[in-house]
Amino acid sequence: MIDYHKPIIRNGKSLKILQVSAHACIRKIKKTIALKKLGYEVHGLANQISYGTENFDTYSIWRDEKQFKNALKMYLERGIDIVEWNNEPDHPAWWAREVIDGAGMSDKVKLIVDFHDLDSIRRGFIPKDERMAFNAADGIVYCSIPIQKMTNKLHQVTKPNIVLYSYCNEGVVEWNEKDIPNRTGLVYEGGANPVDDIALEQQFAYRSLYNIIKRLVEMGNEVHMYCGNLGAFETYQHTGAVLYPPTMYDEMMKGLTKRKYGILIFNNEDGEKDQVNYTLTNKEMEYLQAGLPSLACWCPESMRHVQKHKIGFVFEHIDEIRDCSHLEKYYPEVMENIKQKRKELVMENYIVLLENLYADVLGVERKWIPDHIQKLHDFDFKG
């Protein structure tokens, strides 16, 4: 087996990987940083420039199907081994399949699809594009174990597939333990539905957070909100929270370190929003790296993970959070655990799962996993 600290080899050379997406989401960047540390050549293709794109060996922009396919053809000529589509949307996965097959390279180039957002989960039905993307893929990546189990059954998946959580990268943000006593307030980071956006409310009701943020303030909390979209920033002004407009990832991470707790709550009191019932989020991992205990509520899979690793507090109802003063006596113990867990739960310790998926679909030698890394995997996915 390949040495753990070395890249997967094919024809005497390390793999060349193309990470493809529409918006260059942070999950794609996290994987790329970890892969680059191991010596892989990793290229990027997306329809916009975002944080972290400087990590790619090259980075190209596509605006339509023609540009997407032409760019992919160029990368195939460069000897790419793996094309990894990071959804959403889903239809470009089929474009990639057409290019690979059309070039007669389906035996040499394999298509991985990272389904970290699934409309079959979020909206309760299978769109045609999602079904076609599953058909197009040679290998599949999921963001949680329940999603893997449900979706493999739903789509009758027999192809190689793995679960990879949205871990942050090692050293993504640093903070001084001496500053912990000066931290104040609760903070939320991420997208939220603008008030009165009926279309988004119908599609993604779990992201309607106005009343949640407002309630946290009403209970006596100092609340901060790094809005992932301008609509939320503009329409949540009357919640009483301190709002920040869309902020670059590295600056946001620095901002998180000034706060005391991370808000991991969704509009799911009725328990009917499967997207948060069964998935794990980026924000839980961001809070962990920033040194913030998560306040998890109405998101069962995240609550389970937070409780399992003892990196926050779990509540059955938002009103149980109160003004957080009752959490003070437990805070030092949770922070000590966070200091250790932020070293363990990093993408660099789990990227081997993705590497071995690459090896499996290409039919080349897998990597050996050291005992101490395997123990981390066993606890996170089985324990």
Side-chain angles (χ1 to χ4, degrees):
M1 301 186 86
I2 302 294
D3 187 288
Y4 175 73
H5 299 287
K6 295 181 179 180
I8 298 285
I9 299 297
R10 189 187 194 194
N11 297 327
K13 298 180 180 179
S14 63
L15 300 184
K16 294 182 180 180
I17 301 159
L18 177 64
Q19 289 284 347
V20 195
S21 62
H23 57 286
C25 67
I26 193 61
R27 180 175 165 92
K28 169 181 170 180
I29 302 301
K30 291 173 176 179
K31 291 184 293 184
T32 294
I33 291 172
L35 290 167
K36 288 292 297 177
K37 288 180 180 179
L38 289 161
Y40 290 101
E41 182 178 314
V42 186
H43 302 269
L45 176 62
N47 67 9
Q48 59 185 267
I49 297 175
S50 68
Y51 167 83
T53 52
E54 69 278 1
N55 290 287
F56 296 101
D57 288 283
T58 67
Y59 188 74
S60 302
I61 299 292
W62 63 273
R63 293 297 188 190
D64 55 26
E65 180 180 355
K66 181 184 73 173
Q67 289 186 347
F68 179 98
K69 289 183 172 180
N70 285 339
L72 185 50
K73 288 174 185 176
M74 288 191 297
Y75 279 112
L76 294 184
E77 291 172 0
R78 291 179 63 102
I80 290 293
D81 298 289
I82 292 288
V83 175
E84 184 166 353
W85 172 253
N86 297 266
N87 85 332
E88 55 184 331
D90 292 319
H91 62 271
W94 191 254
W95 293 349
R97 179 81 274 155
E98 290 178 332
V99 172
I100 294 169
D101 291 353
M105 301 183 72
S106 57
D107 59 333
K108 297 179 180 179
V109 180
K110 298 301 179 180
L111 175 63
I112 303 295
V113 180
D114 187 327
F115 286 105
H116 58 276
D117 285 315
L118 284 161
D119 277 339
S120 56
I121 300 297
R122 296 190 300 187
R123 303 175 68 182
F125 64 91
I126 304 174
K128 180 188 73 172
D129 288 341
E130 180 177 308
R131 179 69 83 187
M132 291 181 69
F134 271 90
N135 292 342
D138 294 305
I140 295 165
V141 184
Y142 298 110
C143 66
S144 79
I145 293 172
I147 295 296
Q148 180 189 42
K149 292 178 178 178
M150 294 167 62
T151 308
N152 278 351
K153 182 177 180 180
L154 183 67
H155 285 281
Q156 300 180 12
V157 174
T158 58
K159 301 170 182 180
N161 61 93
I162 64 164
V163 171
L164 182 65
Y165 297 155
S166 297
Y167 304 103
C168 288
N169 295 105
E170 189 175 31
V172 66
V173 67
E174 299 297 337
W175 39 272
N176 194 323
E177 291 184 28
K178 295 180 181 179
D179 295 330
I180 292 176
N182 299 323
R183 293 180 170 186
T184 61
L186 285 58
V187 63
Y188 174 86
E189 64 96 346
N193 292 343
V195 175
D196 295 330
D197 191 318
I198 297 174
L200 284 179
E201 172 64 28
Q202 290 176 340
Q203 294 182 51
F204 312 119
Y206 63 91
R207 291 179 15 140
S208 294
L209 304 180
Y210 183 93
N211 290 330
I212 288 171
I213 299 300
K214 188 171 183 289
R215 181 60 183 150
L216 290 170
V217 173
E218 290 171 347
M219 290 189 292
N221 294 291
E222 172 192 331
V223 179
H224 298 254
M225 187 176 185
Y226 282 90
C227 304
N229 51 303
L230 194 57
F233 174 73
E234 293 173 341
T235 61
Y236 282 46
Q237 293 290 333
H238 299 292
T239 58
V242 180
L243 303 182
Y244 305 84
T247 304
M248 289 296 284
Y249 185 79
D250 53 347
E251 291 301 316
M252 180 200 73
M253 290 298 296
K254 292 176 185 177
L256 293 183
T257 66
K258 298 177 182 179
R259 304 300 149 215
K260 195 163 187 175
Y261 299 99
I263 300 170
L264 191 57
I265 310 173
F266 300 92
N267 179 32
N268 188 37
E269 184 178 1
D270 60 11
E272 295 181 356
K273 317 301 190 302
D274 284 349
Q275 175 70 6
V276 290
N277 284 338
Y278 301 121
T279 61
L280 293 182
T281 65
N282 279 292
K283 58 179 59 62
E284 177 195 337
M285 300 300 176
E286 264 85 75
Y287 297 153
L288 173 64
Q289 291 303 314
L292 278 66
S294 288
L295 303 180
C297 181
W298 297 335
C299 49
E301 186 64 10
S302 292
M303 292 164 69
R304 181 197 65 79
H305 197 254
V306 167
Q307 196 165 42
K308 180 178 185 176
H309 288 281
K310 297 180 174 60
I311 53 176
F313 302 90
V314 171
F315 306 91
E316 295 301 319
H317 194 280
I318 189 174
D319 288 350
E320 296 174 8
I321 296 173
R322 307 202 302 264
D323 65 358
C324 292
S325 60
H326 60 297
L327 305 178
E328 289 298 310
K329 60 183 177 181
Y330 307 108
Y331 192 83
E333 180 182 351
V334 173
M335 284 302 298
E336 285 303 311
N337 206 46
I338 282 175
K339 292 173 191 176
Q340 179 60 35
K341 290 294 181 176
R342 71 188 296 263
K343 298 175 184 177
E344 298 175 357
L345 299 176
V346 291
M347 188 62 79
E348 286 78 0
N349 286 340
Y350 293 84
I351 197 66
V352 66
L353 298 171
L354 183 61
E355 294 178 86
N356 279 342
L357 178 64
Y358 294 164
D360 289 344
V361 297
L362 289 168
V364 298
E365 194 172 7
R366 296 176 114 236
K367 290 182 74 167
W368 166 73
I369 302 177
D371 288 345
H372 73 285
I373 296 296
Q374 189 62 56
K375 287 179 180 178
L376 296 179
H377 295 188
D378 289 344
F379 183 75
D380 214 8
F381 297 121
K382 299 176 184 178

